[in-house]
Amino acid sequence: MKHSLPSLDSLKVFESAARHLSFSIAANELCVTKGAVSYQIRKLEEELQSSLFKRSVRQVYLTDTGQALYLTTKKIFEDLESSLSRIQEGKQEANVSIAATTYVAARWLSARIGRFNDEYPDINFLLQHSVNSVDFKLDEVDLAILWGPCKGKLDRNRFAEIPMSLFPVISPKLLDTHKLSQQNEISMDAIVQGSLSNIPLLCEDSKQDLWQEWLKANNTDGPDLKLNNPRRVISDANVRVQAAVDGQGLILADDLMLNELNNGLLVAPFEEQLTGYGYAFYSSPTRIYGDNTITFKRWMMQRIQ
């Protein structure tokens, strides 16, 4: 696209002269003569058909038009300088910064970073775990992994998804306490109105009742039912898993908890699952990425598609 803009040289000279309110100081800053500054300013005024400076014997002042143009050019040059600086920093940056919870980092991400480093041993990673904080900003990290609804649609921020179903699990000891078998699947009636109806349901967030969603998703033919079990909110996923292992209640698990299931620390007595959730991968379209981040992102995409 062709832009009908004045020359960059004229705008650069104008910004310097307007900032200092002096043609002489601008000339020294730009390493040109005072006459060259005057020429560029006069050329710009002719092109705009508007006076930019009021000239006196020892001082120049900005006109209203000049003041408006100065505010614009000042911001443009500051933004340009900032972008160029980020590009240089991106080229020099050796670390790849990833925001993920400790649950995801320990159970999913760590093993993949290990395999990546087998191929690229010189690339280092910085893990940031406040991804769920209200103060978290996507453009301050290279990549972020967040749990939530899987939309099935990607965009400039959300570049990949890994859907994971949720399913209830419980400690064998707690199941035995209620005289229920570990070997057979248990009907949802046990948790709605049966022997499991008083067991606490461990939750991540009191504002979203995934347990009720799980019940509703698997009770499409019958009347509306409500889980009256007490809820126990434990925001940290690792602590929530350990609470389930210790027999504090039922927990909705995903495939990142297979270690506890395979080791018999937890069992999955229900066949019903809740779908539509999983892990999404994000990157900010406004951030300048270094070669290491691009390499890791490409490597990761090839393994999660």
Side-chain angles (χ1 to χ4, degrees):
M1 180 184 295
K2 183 178 180 181
H3 298 285
S4 56
L5 297 173
S7 72
L8 182 60
D9 285 341
S10 295
L11 292 174
K12 182 172 65 174
V13 168
F14 166 76
E15 191 278 334
S16 179
R19 177 161 34 88
H20 295 294
L21 291 177
S22 169
F23 287 9
S24 298
I25 296 177
N28 290 334
E29 180 178 88
L30 299 172
C31 299
V32 297
T33 65
K34 183 179 177 181
V37 171
S38 298
Y39 170 77
Q40 290 291 350
I41 297 298
R42 186 167 58 253
K43 178 181 175 183
L44 183 60
E45 289 177 326
E46 290 174 356
E47 187 170 353
L48 298 176
Q49 296 184 349
S50 182
S51 177
L52 300 174
F53 289 94
K54 297 177 182 178
R55 296 161 174 84
S56 65
V57 177
R58 297 183 177 180
Q59 185 72 52
V60 293
Y61 304 92
L62 288 168
T63 64
D64 290 344
T65 301
Q67 180 66 27
L69 181 60
Y70 170 63
L71 293 177
T72 299
T73 54
K74 178 175 180 289
K75 183 178 186 307
I76 288 172
F77 282 114
E78 285 177 349
D79 289 347
L80 181 59
E81 184 178 10
S82 177
S83 294
L84 293 173
S85 176
R86 289 199 302 270
I87 290 172
Q88 290 302 114
E89 290 174 359
K91 289 180 178 179
Q92 297 170 4
E93 182 59 66
N95 297 320
V96 178
S97 59
I98 304 178
T101 63
T102 54
Y103 176 80
V104 172
R107 295 167 179 265
W108 189 88
L109 181 60
S110 179
R112 285 154 181 82
I113 288 178
R115 291 199 288 271
F116 174 81
N117 279 147
D118 288 340
E119 300 180 40
Y120 303 93
D122 296 330
I123 297 180
N124 299 316
F125 291 83
L126 293 176
L127 299 185
Q128 193 249 72
H129 299 306
S130 60
V131 66
N132 289 331
S133 168
V134 293
D135 298 325
F136 171 71
K137 293 181 176 61
L138 181 59
D139 60 3
E140 293 181 352
V141 295
D142 295 321
L143 303 172
I145 305 173
L146 289 163
W147 181 90
C150 278
K151 303 176 182 179
K153 184 178 180 181
L154 305 179
D155 53 37
R156 294 176 67 198
N157 289 338
R158 189 184 184 104
F159 65 87
E161 290 181 336
I162 301 180
M164 284 195 187
S165 300
L166 298 173
F167 50 93
V169 297
I170 191 172
S171 72
K173 181 179 178 180
L174 192 55
L175 203 59
D176 292 341
T177 300
H178 291 81
K179 298 179 170 48
L180 293 170
S181 171
Q182 300 180 30
Q183 305 301 321
N184 301 319
E185 292 170 349
I186 298 172
S187 167
M188 284 197 304
D189 289 340
I191 194 172
V192 175
Q193 56 192 7
S195 58
L196 297 179
S197 58
N198 293 321
I199 292 182
L201 305 179
L202 307 182
C203 308
E204 177 180 6
D205 187 351
S206 59
K207 298 177 182 178
Q208 182 181 23
D209 195 347
L210 290 173
W211 280 103
Q212 193 61 37
E213 287 188 40
W214 168 77
L215 180 65
K216 184 177 180 180
N218 292 285
N219 187 50
T220 55
D221 297 330
D224 290 339
L225 299 175
K226 185 172 179 61
L227 288 175
N228 295 313
N229 303 58
R231 306 304 201 266
R232 183 171 296 168
V233 177
I234 304 175
S235 59
D236 188 296
N238 288 319
V239 177
R240 195 164 60 252
V241 172
Q242 188 59 48
V245 171
D246 293 338
Q248 294 186 29
L250 282 152
I251 183 175
L252 284 172
D254 60 22
D255 286 347
L256 300 191
M257 289 174 57
L258 290 180
N259 183 59
E260 284 81 5
L261 291 167
N262 292 336
N263 291 332
L265 297 173
L266 294 169
V267 294
F270 299 91
E271 65 174 352
E272 293 84 3
Q273 299 186 355
L274 174 63
T275 60
Y277 290 91
Y279 296 93
F281 297 77
Y282 294 83
S283 60
S284 171
T286 62
R287 186 176 173 87
I288 305 299
Y289 295 99
D291 293 340
N292 290 344
T293 298
I294 294 171
T295 298
F296 178 70
K297 183 177 178 180
R298 186 183 299 117
W299 183 92
M300 185 67 71
M301 288 289 291
Q302 292 173 349
R303 287 155 179 80
I304 62 178
Q305 289 180 335

